[in-house]
Amino acid sequence: NLKHEIEKITDGYGCDVYFEVTGNPISVQQGLDILTRQGRFICMSIFKKDVPADWSLIGNYVSSSPNIFTKNK
């Protein structure tokens, strides 16, 4: 269990930075689950299908593809 291992290594703190580069929608939720408060979620993937995740959990974000993501105001 990745979440358990990350919590063990970081004394429950979580990841400061998570890179999603696989294109697997499951990896998005995994990253959101282990990211610490105010951590950085870096997504450099192209997904073939919808990603069932609550993107609002990561706050303000910027993308080079404005049709996919927009910056929160």
Side-chain angles (χ1 to χ4, degrees), residues 39-54:
R40 296 187 184 265
F41 187 99
I42 312 297
C43 183
M44 299 187 304
S45 292
I46 297 174
F47 299 100
K48 291 183 179 181
K49 51 187 168 180
D50 290 340
V51 178
D54 183 1

Side-chain angles (χ1 to χ4, degrees):
N1 181 321
L2 182 62
K3 184 175 181 176
H4 174 74
E5 291 300 317
I6 295 295
E7 288 176 347
K8 187 168 79 173
I9 293 168
T10 64
D11 292 326
Y13 186 71
C15 289
D16 288 322
V17 179
Y18 183 85
F19 285 85
E20 201 308 294
V21 296
T22 67
N24 186 337
I26 293 170
S27 180
V28 171
Q29 190 59 54
Q30 175 180 274
L32 293 173
D33 288 344
I34 63 174
L35 198 62
T36 190
R37 186 171 173 83
Q38 295 187 0
R40 296 187 184 265
F41 187 99
I42 312 297
C43 183
M44 299 187 304
S45 292
I46 297 174
F47 299 100
K48 291 183 179 181
K49 51 187 168 180
D50 290 340
V51 178
D54 183 1
W55 292 101
S56 69
L57 294 174
I58 56 175
N60 289 339
Y61 44 81
V62 178
S63 172
S64 61
S65 301
N67 293 334
I68 298 173
F69 303 109
T70 59
K71 184 172 183 179
N72 288 340
K73 294 181 181 183

